Amino acid sequence: MADRTRVRAGARRPQRYLPLQILLGFLVIYFLVPFWWVIVNSSKDAPGLFGGGNTLWFTDQIDYVGNLRQLFTYDGGIYLRWILNSTLYAVAGGIGATVLAVMAGYGFAKYRFAARRFSFAVVLGALMVPATALVIPTFIMFSRLGLTNTVWAVILPSLLNPFGVYLMHVYARDAVPDELLDAARVDGAGEVRTFLQIALPLMRPAVVTVLLLSAVASWNNYFLPLAMLSDNRLFPVTVGLGLWQGIASANNSGGTSLWSLIILGSLVSVIPLVIAFFSLQRHWRGGLSVGGLR
């Protein structure tokens, strides 16, 4: 009888979840098709791109090596410099934003001080302000300080991450027991040692999550560097590819088709993010699940 019931439940389950599976399959295709298009068309030269063939499949001539050589040698190798600039902005902005978010979130969660609720309400309010709305005021402030068109004009605004502060506050409040901190203080540990040796290891999954979110946001940042920088040797790869797109649209590239370089450059720029995501996904999933269960 029990076996018959399990057989009936197993027969109904696929039909029950069939619409959801169809929806998920559609979303998977929807998000993967643009990435597949970039992979396929990165292998083509200008005649292959505009020759009228199937844009979702390869041509007879696949030349990733030749296209990569052209990408990294065009205009004196400016693309490599853009990649290095993006790496600098992502590493400096990601680490700096994570350090500030960890200290601020831990402080809001574990210390009682004057105007704590008001200060945290200000942080929550900052979550509602679009980052693009702050670009022009930030540009005016940095212009008066003489910091525009420098790397600091991109790194310093990236250090502020209100969502990271909120995430660390929630995680530290639930994952770091107050009794454990009190026991460390009774044993003679100072506040700095208690934070570094007791609280920080317990917060490691959330720290990695905030670090990955901050680094990805800095890598993909476009509008802020576009407004702050005028020297193309300081551009991140996002703004650099936008510059090439403008030149290609104006057909002013000196006989070189930039569209194939733009497509391949977009593919190469995604690879560091994919590597970072897959290498840190174990900490990512662990951080979110542990923080939600405790």
Side-chain angles (χ1 to χ4, degrees), residues 81-102:
R81 187 176 181 88
W82 291 340
I83 287 288
L84 295 177
N85 291 339
S86 291
T87 304
L88 172 64
Y89 301 148
V91 171
I95 293 177
T98 302
V99 171
L100 293 178
V102 169

mmCIF file of all heavy atoms in Angstrom, residues 81-102:
data_model
loop_
_atom_site.group_PDB
_atom_site.id
_atom_site.type_symbol
_atom_site.label_atom_id
_atom_site.label_comp_id
_atom_site.label_asym_id
_atom_site.label_seq_id
_atom_site.Cartn_x
_atom_site.Cartn_y
_atom_site.Cartn_z
ATOM 1 N N ARG A 81 46.178 47.213 -20.431
ATOM 2 C CA ARG A 81 46.214 48.243 -19.388
ATOM 3 C C ARG A 81 44.832 48.443 -18.778
ATOM 4 O O ARG A 81 44.700 48.636 -17.565
ATOM 5 C CB ARG A 81 46.730 49.561 -19.971
ATOM 6 C CG ARG A 81 46.960 50.621 -18.905
ATOM 7 C CD ARG A 81 47.570 51.883 -19.468
ATOM 8 N NE ARG A 81 47.803 52.868 -18.418
ATOM 9 C CZ ARG A 81 48.908 52.933 -17.700
ATOM 10 N NH1 ARG A 81 49.876 52.080 -17.913
ATOM 11 N NH2 ARG A 81 49.055 53.856 -16.755
ATOM 12 N N TRP A 82 43.781 48.387 -19.605
ATOM 13 C CA TRP A 82 42.424 48.507 -19.065
ATOM 14 C C TRP A 82 42.097 47.344 -18.130
ATOM 15 O O TRP A 82 41.449 47.529 -17.095
ATOM 16 C CB TRP A 82 41.414 48.556 -20.218
ATOM 17 C CG TRP A 82 41.501 49.819 -21.034
ATOM 18 C CD1 TRP A 82 42.061 51.006 -20.655
ATOM 19 C CD2 TRP A 82 41.000 50.018 -22.350
ATOM 20 N NE1 TRP A 82 41.946 51.928 -21.662
ATOM 21 C CE2 TRP A 82 41.299 51.365 -22.717
ATOM 22 C CE3 TRP A 82 40.335 49.204 -23.272
ATOM 23 C CZ2 TRP A 82 40.950 51.895 -23.957
ATOM 24 C CZ3 TRP A 82 39.979 49.728 -24.499
ATOM 25 C CH2 TRP A 82 40.277 51.060 -24.843
ATOM 26 N N ILE A 83 42.546 46.146 -18.503
ATOM 27 C CA ILE A 83 42.315 44.990 -17.634
ATOM 28 C C ILE A 83 43.038 45.167 -16.298
ATOM 29 O O ILE A 83 42.484 44.885 -15.222
ATOM 30 C CB ILE A 83 42.776 43.697 -18.333
ATOM 31 C CG1 ILE A 83 41.801 43.318 -19.465
ATOM 32 C CG2 ILE A 83 42.879 42.547 -17.333
ATOM 33 C CD1 ILE A 83 40.463 42.809 -18.990
ATOM 34 N N LEU A 84 44.293 45.639 -16.357
ATOM 35 C CA LEU A 84 45.038 45.871 -15.118
ATOM 36 C C LEU A 84 44.391 46.970 -14.280
ATOM 37 O O LEU A 84 44.347 46.871 -13.041
ATOM 38 C CB LEU A 84 46.494 46.235 -15.451
ATOM 39 C CG LEU A 84 47.311 45.134 -16.124
ATOM 40 C CD1 LEU A 84 48.712 45.644 -16.467
ATOM 41 C CD2 LEU A 84 47.402 43.900 -15.232
ATOM 42 N N ASN A 85 43.885 48.021 -14.935
ATOM 43 C CA ASN A 85 43.182 49.071 -14.192
ATOM 44 C C ASN A 85 41.940 48.508 -13.497
ATOM 45 O O ASN A 85 41.671 48.820 -12.328
ATOM 46 C CB ASN A 85 42.776 50.200 -15.139
ATOM 47 C CG ASN A 85 43.968 50.990 -15.644
ATOM 48 O OD1 ASN A 85 45.037 50.980 -15.032
ATOM 49 N ND2 ASN A 85 43.800 51.668 -16.757
ATOM 50 N N SER A 86 41.162 47.698 -14.217
ATOM 51 C CA SER A 86 39.969 47.094 -13.602
ATOM 52 C C SER A 86 40.353 46.204 -12.431
ATOM 53 O O SER A 86 39.656 46.178 -11.403
ATOM 54 C CB SER A 86 39.195 46.273 -14.652
ATOM 55 O OG SER A 86 38.601 47.115 -15.617
ATOM 56 N N THR A 87 41.464 45.470 -12.578
ATOM 57 C CA THR A 87 41.922 44.623 -11.469
ATOM 58 C C THR A 87 42.280 45.468 -10.253
ATOM 59 O O THR A 87 41.929 45.133 -9.113
ATOM 60 C CB THR A 87 43.145 43.796 -11.921
ATOM 61 O OG1 THR A 87 42.790 43.036 -13.085
ATOM 62 C CG2 THR A 87 43.595 42.856 -10.819
ATOM 63 N N LEU A 88 42.996 46.580 -10.497
ATOM 64 C CA LEU A 88 43.353 47.475 -9.386
ATOM 65 C C LEU A 88 42.108 48.030 -8.706
ATOM 66 O O LEU A 88 41.998 48.005 -7.470
ATOM 67 C CB LEU A 88 44.216 48.625 -9.912
ATOM 68 C CG LEU A 88 44.508 49.750 -8.909
ATOM 69 C CD1 LEU A 88 45.342 49.243 -7.738
ATOM 70 C CD2 LEU A 88 45.207 50.915 -9.600
ATOM 71 N N TYR A 89 41.165 48.522 -9.505
ATOM 72 C CA TYR A 89 39.953 49.102 -8.912
ATOM 73 C C TYR A 89 39.139 48.044 -8.166
ATOM 74 O O TYR A 89 38.580 48.327 -7.096
ATOM 75 C CB TYR A 89 39.089 49.735 -10.010
ATOM 76 C CG TYR A 89 39.779 50.839 -10.789
ATOM 77 C CD1 TYR A 89 39.502 51.066 -12.138
ATOM 78 C CD2 TYR A 89 40.711 51.659 -10.179
ATOM 79 C CE1 TYR A 89 40.137 52.073 -12.851
ATOM 80 C CE2 TYR A 89 41.351 52.660 -10.879
ATOM 81 C CZ TYR A 89 41.065 52.865 -12.221
ATOM 82 O OH TYR A 89 41.706 53.867 -12.921
ATOM 83 N N ALA A 90 39.053 46.837 -8.726
ATOM 84 C CA ALA A 90 38.251 45.782 -8.091
ATOM 85 C C ALA A 90 38.897 45.292 -6.805
ATOM 86 O O ALA A 90 38.218 45.106 -5.786
ATOM 87 C CB ALA A 90 38.062 44.620 -9.070
ATOM 88 N N VAL A 91 40.232 45.106 -6.828
ATOM 89 C CA VAL A 91 40.919 44.595 -5.630
ATOM 90 C C VAL A 91 40.925 45.660 -4.526
ATOM 91 O O VAL A 91 40.566 45.381 -3.371
ATOM 92 C CB VAL A 91 42.353 44.168 -5.992
ATOM 93 C CG1 VAL A 91 43.144 43.838 -4.738
ATOM 94 C CG2 VAL A 91 42.318 42.955 -6.915
ATOM 95 N N ALA A 92 41.337 46.881 -4.875
ATOM 96 C CA ALA A 92 41.412 47.937 -3.857
ATOM 97 C C ALA A 92 40.016 48.296 -3.341
ATOM 98 O O ALA A 92 39.805 48.403 -2.124
ATOM 99 C CB ALA A 92 42.090 49.177 -4.444
ATOM 100 N N GLY A 93 39.073 48.476 -4.267
ATOM 101 C CA GLY A 93 37.716 48.812 -3.844
ATOM 102 C C GLY A 93 37.060 47.675 -3.094
ATOM 103 O O GLY A 93 36.356 47.906 -2.090
ATOM 104 N N GLY A 94 37.264 46.435 -3.542
ATOM 105 C CA GLY A 94 36.626 45.297 -2.880
ATOM 106 C C GLY A 94 37.174 45.075 -1.483
ATOM 107 O O GLY A 94 36.395 44.918 -0.524
ATOM 108 N N ILE A 95 38.495 45.079 -1.340
ATOM 109 C CA ILE A 95 39.088 44.858 -0.013
ATOM 110 C C ILE A 95 38.757 46.017 0.927
ATOM 111 O O ILE A 95 38.372 45.813 2.084
ATOM 112 C CB ILE A 95 40.611 44.671 -0.141
ATOM 113 C CG1 ILE A 95 40.911 43.369 -0.888
ATOM 114 C CG2 ILE A 95 41.266 44.649 1.237
ATOM 115 C CD1 ILE A 95 42.389 43.123 -1.124
ATOM 116 N N GLY A 96 38.888 47.244 0.426
ATOM 117 C CA GLY A 96 38.586 48.397 1.280
ATOM 118 C C GLY A 96 37.138 48.433 1.717
ATOM 119 O O GLY A 96 36.837 48.670 2.903
ATOM 120 N N ALA A 97 36.222 48.188 0.794
ATOM 121 C CA ALA A 97 34.798 48.185 1.146
ATOM 122 C C ALA A 97 34.474 47.059 2.121
ATOM 123 O O ALA A 97 33.646 47.226 3.026
ATOM 124 C CB ALA A 97 33.951 48.050 -0.121
ATOM 125 N N THR A 98 35.136 45.916 1.958
ATOM 126 C CA THR A 98 34.875 44.786 2.862
ATOM 127 C C THR A 98 35.372 45.089 4.268
ATOM 128 O O THR A 98 34.678 44.801 5.259
ATOM 129 C CB THR A 98 35.560 43.518 2.319
ATOM 130 O OG1 THR A 98 35.076 43.253 1.002
ATOM 131 C CG2 THR A 98 35.262 42.325 3.199
ATOM 132 N N VAL A 99 36.567 45.665 4.379
ATOM 133 C CA VAL A 99 37.105 46.000 5.704
ATOM 134 C C VAL A 99 36.180 46.983 6.426
ATOM 135 O O VAL A 99 35.833 46.793 7.608
ATOM 136 C CB VAL A 99 38.526 46.580 5.564
ATOM 137 C CG1 VAL A 99 39.014 47.148 6.893
ATOM 138 C CG2 VAL A 99 39.493 45.510 5.068
ATOM 139 N N LEU A 100 35.762 48.026 5.722
ATOM 140 C CA LEU A 100 34.879 49.010 6.348
ATOM 141 C C LEU A 100 33.527 48.400 6.693
ATOM 142 O O LEU A 100 32.963 48.681 7.767
ATOM 143 C CB LEU A 100 34.695 50.202 5.399
ATOM 144 C CG LEU A 100 35.944 51.061 5.152
ATOM 145 C CD1 LEU A 100 35.638 52.177 4.165
ATOM 146 C CD2 LEU A 100 36.455 51.647 6.464
ATOM 147 N N ALA A 101 32.991 47.556 5.811
ATOM 148 C CA ALA A 101 31.683 46.941 6.077
ATOM 149 C C ALA A 101 31.755 45.992 7.261
ATOM 150 O O ALA A 101 30.825 45.949 8.090
ATOM 151 C CB ALA A 101 31.205 46.200 4.820
ATOM 152 N N VAL A 102 32.831 45.214 7.364
ATOM 153 C CA VAL A 102 32.970 44.276 8.488
ATOM 154 C C VAL A 102 33.054 45.033 9.811
ATOM 155 O O VAL A 102 32.354 44.699 10.787
ATOM 156 C CB VAL A 102 34.217 43.392 8.285
ATOM 157 C CG1 VAL A 102 34.529 42.609 9.546
ATOM 158 C CG2 VAL A 102 34.006 42.448 7.116
#
